[in-house]
Amino acid sequence: MKTKRYFLPEKELPNEWYNIQADMTNKPMPMLNPATRKPVTVEELSVLFSEEVSKQELNTTDRWIPIPDEVREKYTYYRSTPLVRAYGLEKALDTPAHIYFKNESVSPVGSHKLNSALAQAYYCKKEGVTNVTTETGAGQWGAALSYAASLFGLEAAVYQVKISYEQKPYRRSMMQVFGAQVTPSPSMSTRAGKDIITVNPNHQGSLGTAISEAVELARMTPNCKYTLGSVLSHVTLHQTVIGLEAEKQMEMAGEYPDVVIACFGGGSNFGGLAFPFLRHNLLDGKKTRFIAAEPASCPKLTSGKFEYDFGDESGYTPLLPMYTLGHKFTPANIHAGGLRYHGAGVIVSQLMKDNLMEAVDILQLDSFKAGCLFAKAEGIIPAPESCHAIAATINEALKCKESGQEKVLLFNLSGHGLVDMSAYDQYLAGNLVNY
């Protein structure tokens, strides 16, 4: 019988996160304080974030960052996640390619987001913080932060993008089950939300608007810190447990990826899988390709400009050097709510600028078509976000079919779609717009 799934014993789980900035020839340009236009300091970031993640955010020299024992112990609740050989998908495509996927959907909240939520909640608790705030699109990060906050005894307040709040009621329910307060954004509970609604009363929200509201609440609430689910470097740092595990698991399978693929919103799951493999391109001369799959309706990597921009709509955050569609950009109401963000993380933006990775944009109907094919072939219904990575992987596998090349493809199944079935209902009924 052929081996389909590869697991690591708990003793072999990573005990350090990988900081790719230490190995980059061209390091990302610094974040800037918008008032002074000078590089942001740890002290300035610590007003908003926990002190430890503020240090991690600005750390460009240490290749390895220790994972605290308390966080590593929580990782054992669900890690290692399986590396899976997608024999069913290979057969359905009749491709000579060998397709593997890292199944992050097996986490307690159904996605990769918990990898950073546990770390951020732990650091807040260790520093005596009692309340945390955040934003969420589809709700995967919000659910992860809500669960992590409950594990460490913190109160959580989540601003969920309004269109996703309405489209995905069960993900909202998950956050509430874990004890979080959930508010649709934009709302009338913050000055940022009021200003947005005043200009556009029918605004359906974006991650940029939700970030503005969460940041404002954190600033106005005593003993409260803001936590972030993507974009910033410390978030992607925590996600590298995905790729570090996958490295060892690919060794168990006796193969090494020619192409690594992940969906792309702000960059956390892409970097989490890709960066540990990319270090071998940087240091060892490997020639692996790295492909970020973003929605065609929010194509910051394929159509955006590289420039300094705010990470939120209201301009509360530092200025970030990134590929961006503009912080006032309002994305279409696609169901991949976690990808509806105007900008790319600073590390990914620099890598893209240096031609060390690629990006493709995927239409909404193509993503769901790919997700349905994957579900039939592998028995897992993917999250709408993950469907973008699957679509890009299928495209690469079909190229292998045409050329006869037996390439090894690895993608990140960032989450399952079991609380996104209303989106699949609309796709199957032919009611989705092909943004």
Side-chain angles (χ1 to χ4, degrees), residues 242-255:
I242 302 171
L244 293 169
E245 286 183 2
E247 274 190 286
K248 294 181 179 180
Q249 290 165 314
M250 290 299 296
E251 283 186 29
M252 295 168 66
E255 303 210 77

Side-chain angles (χ1 to χ4, degrees), residues 208-416:
T209 67
I211 290 171
S212 293
E213 294 207 86
V215 166
E216 182 177 328
L217 181 64
R219 287 175 168 174
M220 300 298 293
T221 305
N223 209 26
C224 181
K225 294 292 183 180
Y226 171 64
T227 59
L228 186 65
S230 191
V231 183
L232 291 189
S233 302
H234 69 269
V235 185
T236 308
L237 172 76
H238 304 151
Q239 294 295 350
T240 57
V241 295
I242 302 171
L244 293 169
E245 286 183 2
E247 274 190 286
K248 294 181 179 180
Q249 290 165 314
M250 290 299 296
E251 283 186 29
M252 295 168 66
E255 303 210 77
Y256 191 87
D258 296 299
V259 187
V260 174
I261 301 166
C263 64
F264 191 88
S268 69
N269 97 90
F270 172 80
L273 178 65
F275 289 178
F277 289 100
L278 182 53
R279 89 176 189 275
H280 298 297
N281 281 24
L282 298 174
L283 301 177
D284 306 324
K286 289 282 190 181
K287 301 297 183 182
T288 300
R289 291 171 57 213
F290 299 91
I291 302 175
E294 61 184 4
S297 63
C298 196
K300 73 280 287 182
L301 290 176
T302 54
S303 301
K305 293 174 60 179
F306 183 84
E307 61 185 10
Y308 273 101
D309 194 12
F310 290 104
D312 69 310
E313 183 164 337
S314 297
Y316 289 163
T317 67
L319 288 166
L320 307 176
M322 61 182 180
Y323 281 96
T324 177
L325 297 167
H327 65 280
K328 297 292 185 181
F329 176 79
T330 300
N333 295 331
I334 60 171
H335 278 272
L339 307 185
R340 296 174 70 249
Y341 183 65
H342 67 273
V346 297
I347 296 177
V348 170
S349 293
Q350 187 63 50
L351 294 171
M352 188 75 182
K353 187 179 178 186
D354 291 340
N355 297 313
L356 294 169
M357 55 170 284
E358 309 166 34
V360 295
D361 52 50
I362 307 293
L363 290 165
Q364 179 165 239
L365 294 187
D366 291 343
S367 71
F368 275 97
K369 179 181 178 182
C372 288
L373 175 60
F374 178 81
K376 293 172 185 175
E378 296 294 330
I380 302 172
I381 298 174
E385 292 80 9
S386 303
C387 289
H388 292 70
I390 295 169
T393 300
I394 289 173
N395 290 340
E396 291 297 315
L398 292 177
K399 291 177 185 177
C400 290
K401 181 179 180 179
E402 292 175 6
S403 67
Q405 292 179 293
E406 195 177 89
K407 290 186 177 181
V408 177
L409 311 180
L410 170 63
F411 75 90
N412 198 18
L413 182 69
S414 56
H416 67 64

Side-chain angles (χ1 to χ4, degrees), residues 52-127:
E52 185 57 36
V53 302
S54 299
K55 292 178 181 177
Q56 291 174 357
E57 183 64 30
L58 301 184
N59 187 335
T60 63
T61 57
D62 295 324
R63 179 178 294 145
W64 301 104
I65 306 296
I67 302 174
D69 290 341
E70 294 89 340
V71 175
R72 198 164 181 266
E73 185 266 332
K74 296 293 190 297
Y75 280 170
T76 64
Y77 287 16
Y78 61 101
R79 308 207 70 88
S80 69
T81 61
L83 177 77
V84 184
R85 176 75 181 268
Y87 288 114
L89 184 60
E90 292 174 16
K91 182 178 179 181
L93 298 173
D94 188 27
T95 178
H98 293 186
I99 304 174
Y100 293 84
F101 63 93
K102 194 76 163 88
N103 188 0
E104 291 295 300
S105 76
V106 300
S107 84
V109 296
S111 82
H112 71 292
K113 293 290 188 179
L114 193 55
N115 300 326
S116 184
L118 289 170
Q120 294 189 55
Y122 164 74
Y123 289 130
C124 286
K125 181 67 174 181
K126 184 180 178 182
E127 293 171 22

